[in-house]
Every structure is written in structure tokens, then in C-alpha cells.
């Protein structure tokens, strides 16, 4: 799997724990020397690292969601580094509408705009077009829709999505796809997925063109394809086979965690996983709870994102190693303990449950900031602990202890 001009340094890669990685587990994700390395497996759980032009990140990985180039809750890019964030996710649709991708390109791209020097993944905008935009019309060339901000008419197709993401200069761009409602008729889903495959081919061709231009901010931008197919096994499998043949930099499973039963989401992952390339990172979009992450890792997933940690935190709900806690409850009114006595995040090191509860009751903005800090740190620590457990051949033990516990409401 190595390119002919492989630099000598890649032939003796070591993991963070000093383990020599066999040569055959090295894979280049593209000709630009961006590399995914599968370090270890425990059953289907995978431990890897992904080398990019903006630095290397370890998998399994949780990507913190900064939709409009900021984490809601008053968390800056500088804060994120202290919260163990490896990758930030930003959104094509929102940044295209505000402030405009051409403005961000003029400012030097997202990394300079938000002062973040680690990897950034940009969602293609497909989900937002289908979930937020009123009066949308889907055609072969793309989607015509009305902005949810001011109602103005906009067109976005595969080429436009790639052009916007190129202007943003993200590390990883997601392909433009149709997000299908669950449930939908088999015939409609089949036709939609076939169109999404055609769109993906156009995305790939347009990205190759954009990466060759002299004024492109990130000429090593990568492309991930997205598997769709609602809850139909046959469509999911065929689509995964079709997009795997395009030899992209990574692959995502989309269209889940949108209202279907959790057991159904796990079933679809199990159906699709055997057809996903072993040598490319796997990303489950929009998922989820701590328990969801543990269970998806057990089924072979590497990357995750979700607004849940920041959104729940802004409403006083926090995740702890003993379960889920609501800080607005009266029992915390005079509680001097930190949010989580097993946590060493900036919030837990410095403030009590009683104080944070008071801030929420007084509608102080600091309440949300402190809670968001904690939840992001918790999620990043969770994936860190998962990585350690796989490294040490005890992931199943970790899963047995925490999968149900972390879903418990205190």
C-alpha cells in the first residue's frame, strides 16, 4: 500500500507507546503522503492514527463540533487545546451563508481565521440543506433551496460544495450527499443513493481540479465519501461497495442517529462494516452518547462527532464517569464537590457543583462555558481511554464496565 516514493522515515513507524508497527499496516490515503496507520485491533475495535498536512491525530477520535467556526458556549480554539481536542468539525452550509467562504479564503482559510493549527473536518452541508432549508428542490445537478437565515435562493451541488470547502481550506472535506429521512420507500432510497454515488464521483473530480490550482489554500485537502441507504441492508451494502471502489481518503456512515432505534443504528453499522476498506478511517456521522461511541468502536468505527456534549452542557446536563448529571437539581445547591471527582478538567479542578448550579439559576453565561468545558474534556478523555484500552487488550473489559454505566442518569 505504499507509494513508490515513500520516504524512508515511514518504514519504521512507532506508536505512541513505542510499539513497532509492521510495514503492511501502513496505508497512504492519497498521493500527498497523508497516511492512515492501523496500529492494533481487539476483535472489531480498531486503534489507529491518521497523518495529515495539519498534524497527526489518534483514533478512535471524537471531533468537537464548531459549526460556525466556534464551539457554542464561549470556548475558543485556545481553550480546545487544553481540552484534549484533536480535530474540530466546522460546517460548509453555515459558513457559506455567514460570513461567506470567499471572506474566509481572503482571511487565509479556516485555520488562520479561527487560530487553529490542528486538523479540521468540514461537513459538506448536505445534512443542513435537507434539514434546515425550506422549499428545497433536488435535481441531478444539485439542490435548489432557500436560506434558513433570510430566505434567499441558493444552489448547491457537488462542485459548489467542494469549491466552498476548498475556500475554507479544511483538512478533510466531506462529499455532498442527500440525507434521506428514515423511514423512506425502498424505491426512493435506491434512486437517491445512486444519485449520491454520481455526486461523489463529481466531488472527487472537482477536488482533484481544485487541489491543482495555484491559489488553493490546502492543496492536500482530503475527501471522505458517505454511505447512505436508510435502513435497507441491500442498498447500504451495494452503496458501500460502489464508493469503496473510488479509493477515497476515508469513509463515513451517514443517515443514522436521526430518530431510528439505537439497536437499528448498531445493526446497520454491523451490516456495512465488513464492506468498508480496512485501510481507511471510518467515521460515524452525528453520533452520539458516550455509550453510542463505545458500542460503535466495538463494531469497527474510528471517528465520531456530535453536538450533544456542548448542547447538553448549555442546558446544565453533564457527563461523568458515574453517569449523566443535571446540575440544575436542588440536591447540588450546597454540594462542594467538583462536577466529577474522577475528572481533572479546568472546571472540575476549580469550581463546585453548588457554584455552577448557582450560575445556571442566575442565567450567567459562565455556567454554560464551564459545563461545556467539562463535557468536551470528558468526551476527549473517553476516546483517549478507549485507545488505551485497545492498546492494552482490555477494550471488552472497558466496554463491559462503562457502556451501560455512562448512560445511567444520576
Amino acid at each position: 500500500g505504499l507509494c513508490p516514493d515513500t520516504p524512508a522515515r515511514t518504514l519504521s513507524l512507532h506508536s505512541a507507546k513505542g510499539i513497532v508497527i509492521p510495514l503492511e499496516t501502513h496505508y497512504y490515503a492519497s498521493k500527498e503522503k497523508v497516511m492512515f496507520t492501523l496500529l492494533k485491533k481487539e476483535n472489531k475495535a480498531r486503534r489507529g492514527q491518521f497523518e495529515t498536512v495539519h498534524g497527526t491525530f489518534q483514533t478512535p477520535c471524537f471531533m468537537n463540533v464548531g459549526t460556525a467556526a466556534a464551539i457554542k458556549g464561549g470556548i475558543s480554539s485556545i481553550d480546545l487545546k487544553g481540552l484534549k481536542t484533536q480535530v474540530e468539525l466546522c460546517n460548509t452550509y453555515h459558513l457559506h451563508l455567514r460570513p461567506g467562504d470567499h471572506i474566509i479564503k481572503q482571511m487565509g482559510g479556516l485555520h488562520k481565521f479561527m487560530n487553529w493549527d490542528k486538523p479540521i473536518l468540514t461537513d459538506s452541508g448536505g445534512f443542513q440543506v435537507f434539514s434546515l432549508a425550506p422549499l428545497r428542490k433536488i435535481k441531478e445537478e444539485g439542490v435548489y433551496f432557500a436560506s434558513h437565515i433570510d430566505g434567499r435562493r441558493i444552489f448547491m451541488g457537488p462542485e459548489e460544495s467542494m469549491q466552498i470547502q476548498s475556500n475554507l481550506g479544511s483538512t478533510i472535506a466531506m462529499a455532498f450527499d442527500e440525507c434521506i429521512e428514515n423511514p423512506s420507500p425502498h424505491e426512493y432510497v435506491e434512486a437517491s443513493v445512486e444519485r449520491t454515488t454520481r455526486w461523489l464521483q463529481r466531488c472527487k473530480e472537482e477536488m482533484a481540479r481544485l487541489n491543482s490550482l495555484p491559489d488553493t489554500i490546502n492543496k492536500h485537502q482530503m475527501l471522505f465519501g458517505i454511505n447512505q441507504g436508510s435502513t435497507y441492508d441491500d442498498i447500504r451494502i451495494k452503496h458501500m461497495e460502489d464508493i469503496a471502489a473510488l479509493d477515497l481518503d476515508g469513509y463515513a456512515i451517514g443517515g443514522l442517529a436521526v430518530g431510528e432505534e439505537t439497536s437499528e443504528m448498531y445493526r446497520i453499522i454491523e451490516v456495512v462494516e465488513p464492506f468498508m476498506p480496512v485501510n481507511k478511517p471510518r467515521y460515524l456521522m452525528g453520533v452520539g452518547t458516550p455509550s453510542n461511541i463505545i458500542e460503535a468502536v466495538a463494531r469497527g468505527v474510528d471517528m465520531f462527532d456530535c453536538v450533544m456534549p456542548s448542547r447538553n452542557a448549555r442546558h446544565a446536563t453533564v457527563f461523568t464517569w458515574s453517569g449523566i448529571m443535571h446540575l440544575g437539581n436542588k440536591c447540588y445547591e450546597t454540594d462542594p464537590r467538583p462536577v466529577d471527582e474522577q475528572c481533572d478538567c479546568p472546571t472540575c479542578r476549580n469550581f463546585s457543583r453548588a457554584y455552577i448550579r448557582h450560575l445556571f439559576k442566575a442565567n450567567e453565561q459562565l455556567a454554560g462555558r464551564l459545563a461545556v468545558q467539562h463535557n468536551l474534556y470528558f468526551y476527549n478523555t473517553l476516546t483517549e481511554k478507549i485507545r488505551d484500552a485497545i492498546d492494552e487488550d482490555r477494550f471488552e473489559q472497558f466496554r463491559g464496565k462503562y457502556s451501560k454505566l455512562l448512560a445511567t442518569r444520576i
Side-chain angles (χ1 to χ4, degrees):
L2 294 174
C3 293
D5 56 344
T6 304
R9 66 182 177 83
T10 66
L11 299 177
S12 58
L13 264 179
H14 291 66
S15 76
K17 293 182 176 292
I19 304 167
V20 178
I21 309 305
L23 181 62
E24 61 270 21
T25 62
H26 293 251
Y27 301 100
Y28 275 114
S30 73
K31 294 178 183 177
E32 285 79 23
K33 309 286 190 303
V34 182
M35 187 176 62
F36 177 73
T37 308
L38 184 59
L39 297 172
K40 202 170 190 302
K41 286 186 70 178
E42 182 181 333
N43 298 324
K44 287 192 175 181
R46 292 154 46 100
R47 170 76 175 90
Q49 64 181 26
F50 198 25
E51 185 180 342
T52 81
V53 70
H54 296 117
T56 299
F57 63 91
Q58 305 297 314
T59 63
C61 170
F62 182 79
M63 299 182 287
N64 296 152
V65 180
T67 302
I71 302 281
K72 284 183 170 61
I75 305 297
S76 74
S77 299
I78 308 306
D79 295 323
L80 289 180
K81 291 187 176 181
L83 301 176
K84 301 184 182 180
T85 301
Q86 295 193 87
V87 183
E88 180 150 7
L89 184 148
C90 299
N91 185 262
T92 296
Y93 171 87
H94 289 283
L95 292 172
H96 175 57
L97 297 184
R98 238 177 356 207
D101 53 286
H102 289 288
I103 289 176
I104 292 177
K105 182 176 183 180
Q106 184 179 333
M107 299 302 296
L110 268 179
H111 286 87
K112 288 186 177 179
F113 190 55
M114 61 190 294
N115 191 23
W116 178 251
D117 60 2
K118 294 184 178 184
I120 295 175
L121 181 146
T122 43
D123 191 354
S124 70
F127 179 80
Q128 286 70 31
V129 167
F130 294 99
S131 64
L132 295 178
L135 306 174
R136 63 182 179 268
K137 181 178 287 187
I138 308 167
K139 293 192 173 184
E140 183 64 30
E141 63 265 30
V143 184
Y144 297 85
F145 62 95
S147 163
H148 76 286
I149 297 174
D150 55 15
R152 66 187 170 95
R153 298 297 292 168
I154 301 173
F155 171 77
M156 187 182 291
E159 290 80 11
E160 287 73 19
S161 177
M162 293 299 100
Q163 289 159 17
I164 295 166
Q165 294 184 78
S166 182
N167 286 340
L168 299 176
S170 59
T171 314
I172 301 168
M174 297 304 299
F176 189 69
D177 65 330
E178 179 184 355
C179 300
I180 306 163
E181 293 180 11
N182 290 337
S184 291
H186 187 279
E187 185 178 357
Y188 178 84
V189 173
E190 195 167 37
S192 168
V193 165
E194 288 173 356
R195 181 173 54 233
T196 287
T197 303
R198 294 191 295 273
W199 283 357
L200 176 57
Q201 181 63 55
R202 287 164 56 187
C203 286
K204 182 179 180 181
E205 292 169 1
E206 180 64 5
M207 173 169 283
R209 185 188 73 83
L210 291 165
N211 283 353
S212 70
L213 298 179
D215 65 337
T216 296
I217 291 173
N218 176 17
K219 294 179 175 62
H220 305 298
Q221 192 173 42
M222 293 178 286
L223 177 64
F224 278 25
I226 305 173
N227 173 258
Q228 292 286 358
S230 186
T231 54
Y232 299 107
D233 295 11
D234 58 333
I235 301 177
R236 284 278 181 181
I237 291 170
K238 183 179 185 304
H239 190 228
M240 191 64 246
E241 290 176 327
D242 289 345
I243 65 177
L246 293 176
D247 192 29
L248 304 172
D249 299 301
Y251 293 91
I253 302 175
L256 295 178
V258 288
E260 78 282 355
E261 292 292 328
T262 301
S263 59
E264 184 71 354
M265 176 179 73
Y266 294 154
R267 189 187 69 77
I268 293 297
I269 297 171
E270 291 169 359
V271 165
V272 172
E273 187 273 337
F275 301 91
M276 302 187 84
V278 174
N279 60 336
K280 303 292 175 71
R282 296 134 168 219
Y283 165 28
L284 182 60
M285 303 182 76
V287 176
T289 67
S291 181
N292 290 158
I293 290 172
I294 293 170
E295 290 303 313
V297 166
R299 290 163 172 81
V301 177
D302 305 311
M303 297 167 62
F304 304 88
D305 81 281
C306 191
V307 297
M308 184 175 289
S310 54
R311 178 179 289 169
N312 284 16
R314 298 195 307 275
H315 294 90
T317 297
V318 292
F319 298 93
T320 78
W321 292 103
S322 301
I324 303 167
M325 177 187 298
H326 187 71
L327 290 171
N329 290 346
K330 189 171 177 61
C331 60
Y332 303 123
E333 187 174 32
T334 58
D335 193 332
R337 293 174 293 174
V339 172
D340 186 348
E341 291 177 291
Q342 299 179 57
C343 179
D344 62 347
C345 77
T347 297
C348 290
R349 288 199 309 266
N350 293 289
F351 302 101
S352 68
R353 298 174 183 179
Y355 178 63
I356 299 171
R357 180 184 185 275
H358 153 68
L359 294 176
F360 274 112
K361 294 299 182 182
N363 292 318
E364 288 288 345
Q365 290 185 357
L366 180 59
R369 173 174 158 78
L370 295 179
V372 171
Q373 274 193 147
H374 168 79
N375 275 1
L376 294 184
Y377 189 92
F378 178 87
Y379 267 64
N380 290 327
T381 301
L382 170 64
T383 49
E384 181 181 69
K385 287 180 180 291
I386 289 172
R387 295 193 297 270
D388 289 345
I390 298 172
D391 279 338
E392 297 164 10
D393 294 310
R394 53 178 180 81
F395 173 72
E396 283 302 323
Q397 179 184 348
F398 180 91
R399 178 188 181 191
K401 179 177 180 180
Y402 286 110
S403 185
K404 288 185 179 179
L405 176 62
L406 298 186
T408 304
R409 292 196 171 272
I410 299 174

